[in-house]
Structure formats: structure tokens, C-alpha cells
């Protein structure tokens, strides 16, 4: 009986909700109108032999509506910060200036909006993959319980159906959030 308690639909829901929360955080960094420090939240810099978030190697500020400034704490990391921003798939072209890196935010042309929509779509796909992985974990757990005779075949099918319904609901929510963000990007 204790093995049966190991499967929890609520735990799967919590993990799937985590993927959804990550997506919302990613989307908050896709500012479409004004420059925002959150735009660089996902940029990882190769520093001191490992990848670190940009916020751990410098201070990000917004001096103007269309400009970000990163005051890099270690001057030796300026080229790494520059490279990380260029390769971040955000379509930004940083300018190194001594110990700081300035990042002009381009006007949102139709092409730039399309690029941002692609980035948003990529983030949504990553969330869908995470939700499906949680589903896979839950289904494997149910299979083990059924094979170990901890639950009946009928109970296995019922719980599998519940896991699939939860997965479908989360995927629909991801799609709705993506549609809203794409609309926001294209209309700004």
C-alpha cells in the first residue's frame, strides 16, 4: 500500500505548473515596447569556467527607453558578455565600452516583431516539452505500479486518463499564453 501513495496527480500538476511559470517568466523578458532588464534574464555568460546568468557578472540598468547598460564587474568578462548577448537569439547588437556593455534596443520593425514571435514560440515549445516529460514520468510510474500489482489494470487506465487530461489542459494553457504574447508582440 505505501507504493500506491508514491503516485500523486497533484505532484505531476505542480511540476507541470512549474513549466508554465518558467514560460511566464521567459515571456516577461520579451518586452516589446520599452527596454527592460528582464530582457537579458536568460542570457548565460561563460565565466570562470562555467555558464552564469548575466546578472551574476554585472549590473543591468535601463538608462534610456531604448538602451540597456551592463556594468560588468570584472573587465576581463566584457568580451564574454558581448558574445553571450550576440548569441542569445534576441537579435541584439551590443557595444562594448571599457568596463560596460551598452545594448541598444532596435525599433520594432515587422522583421523584429517576427523574430520576437519566433523566440516566444521557442519558449512555448520548451514548456510543452517539459510538460510532456512530466507526463512521461507519471506514466512510467503508473506502469511500474501496475506491473508490480500495486494497482489494478482498471486503475492504471483511469489514472493514465487523468494524467493525459492534465497534460492536455496544460498544453492548451501554454498555447493560449503563446497566442496572447504573439498578439502583444505584433500589435505594439
Amino acid at each position: 500500500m505505501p507504493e500506491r501513495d508514491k503516485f500523486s496527480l497533484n505532484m505531476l500538476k505542480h511540476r507541470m505548473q512549474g513549466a508554465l511559470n518558467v514560460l511566464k517568466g521567459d515571456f516577461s523578458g520579451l518586452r516589446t515596447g520599452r527596454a527592460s532588464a528582464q530582457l537579458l534574464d536568460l542570457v548565460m555568460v561563460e565565466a570562470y569556467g562555467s555558464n552564469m546568468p548575466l546578472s551574476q557578472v554585472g549590473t543591468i540598468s535601463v538608462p534610456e527607453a531604448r538602451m540597456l547598460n551592463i556594468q560588468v564587474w570584472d573587465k576581463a568578462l566584457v568580451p564574454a558578455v558581448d558574445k553571450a548577448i550576440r548569441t542569445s537569439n534576441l537579435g541584439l547588437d551590443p557595444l562594448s565600452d571599457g568596463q560596460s556593455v551598452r545594448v541598444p534596443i532596435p525599433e520594432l520593425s515587422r522583421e523584429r516583431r517576427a523574430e520576437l514571435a519566433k523566440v516566444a514560440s521557442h519558449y512555448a515549445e520548451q514548456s510543452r516539452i517539459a510538460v510532456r516529460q512530466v507526463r512521461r514520468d507519471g506514466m512510467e510510474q503508473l506502469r511500474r505500479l501496475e506491473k508490480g500489482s500495486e494497482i489494478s489494470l482498471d486503475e492504471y487506465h483511469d489514472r493514465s486518463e487523468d494524467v493525459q487530461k492534465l497534460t492536455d489542459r496544460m498544453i492548451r494553457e501554454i498555447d493560449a499564453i503563446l497566442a496572447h504574447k504573439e498578439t502583444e508582440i505584433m500589435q505594439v
Side-chain angles (χ1 to χ4, degrees):
M1 199 65 144
E3 186 70 26
R4 175 183 292 222
D5 294 333
K6 286 185 181 180
F7 177 81
S8 169
L9 193 61
N10 284 334
M11 182 55 77
L12 293 179
K13 182 178 181 179
H14 177 72
R15 288 177 58 201
M16 287 180 185
Q17 192 65 46
L20 207 59
N21 292 340
V22 167
L23 177 65
K24 289 175 182 176
D26 290 348
F27 279 180
S28 73
L30 283 179
R31 299 284 184 215
T32 54
R34 188 180 185 294
S36 167
Q38 286 93 7
L39 183 63
L40 301 176
D41 278 353
L42 299 176
V43 175
M44 299 299 281
V45 178
E46 192 171 322
Y48 311 116
S50 65
N51 282 333
M52 305 173 83
L54 180 59
S55 61
Q56 291 184 6
V57 297
T59 304
I60 304 168
S61 61
V62 184
E64 302 172 28
R66 296 213 177 275
M67 180 71 68
L68 294 173
N69 189 56
I70 301 105
Q71 187 64 39
V72 184
W73 299 323
D74 182 350
K75 189 174 183 175
L77 293 178
V78 170
V81 169
D82 185 283
K83 180 182 177 188
I85 294 169
R86 286 182 195 279
T87 60
S88 67
N89 201 21
L90 293 173
L92 300 174
D93 194 20
L95 307 166
S96 298
D97 180 23
Q99 197 158 342
S100 68
V101 177
R102 290 175 309 160
V103 184
I105 305 298
E107 285 290 326
L108 291 178
S109 64
R110 187 177 307 219
E111 293 80 23
R112 178 73 181 129
R113 291 176 199 273
E115 281 179 38
L116 285 172
K118 283 182 187 176
V119 171
S121 187
H122 174 73
Y123 289 159
E125 184 57 28
Q126 294 302 315
S127 289
R128 286 187 205 102
I129 290 169
V131 166
R132 289 186 202 116
Q133 181 61 48
V134 172
R135 176 196 173 278
R136 199 170 307 126
D137 292 348
M139 297 302 275
E140 286 174 12
Q141 197 175 22
L142 285 173
R143 263 192 293 283
R144 281 194 308 272
L145 290 172
E146 195 272 328
K147 283 189 188 259
S149 300
E150 300 288 328
I151 60 174
S152 69
L153 189 58
D154 287 342
E155 192 173 359
Y156 166 78
H157 287 295
D158 290 345
R159 287 184 176 190
S160 296
E161 201 172 289
D162 292 342
V163 170
Q164 186 59 50
K165 285 178 185 174
L166 175 63
T167 303
D168 293 343
R169 190 172 77 235
M170 289 296 182
I171 297 289
R172 279 193 305 274
E173 197 168 336
I174 289 169
D175 291 342
I177 292 169
L178 173 61
H180 180 266
K181 189 63 176 183
E182 285 176 334
T183 301
E184 179 184 315
I185 289 169
M186 299 313 274
Q187 287 181 350
V188 171

